[in-house]
Amino acid sequence: LGVSVAGQYFNNLYLPGTDISTDVNAWGAEISAVWMPVTNFEVRPEIHYDKVDDLDGTVSGFLRFTRYF
């Protein structure tokens, strides 16, 4: 079993393709795990949360099953 946790903070975002500051901040957090319940079979869940000032946060993620041959 392996678990990882990550986070990012973005200070003073800019308008896309310009050097114009928006004074808006954002951050994101992620947790993921890798579990191999049997040989050559992997289960990998991941959840990610993003939040931008004055907007609702968003949650996304996935669940992946991998079989190695």
Side-chain angles (χ1 to χ4, degrees), residues 27-31 47-51 55-60:
W27 63 274
E30 177 180 289
I31 185 167
I47 297 175
H48 190 87
Y49 179 78
D50 289 313
K51 175 72 172 112
L55 296 175
D56 291 336
T58 59
V59 177
S60 62

Side-chain angles (χ1 to χ4, degrees), residues 13-31:
L13 298 174
Y14 287 82
L15 291 175
T18 71
D19 59 354
I20 299 171
S21 172
T22 63
D23 291 326
V24 174
N25 301 318
W27 63 274
E30 177 180 289
I31 185 167

Side-chain angles (χ1 to χ4, degrees), residues 38-43 64-69:
V38 296
T39 303
N40 296 328
F41 182 70
E42 180 179 279
V43 180
R64 175 181 291 171
F65 300 96
T66 307
R67 172 78 167 106
Y68 298 101
F69 297 96

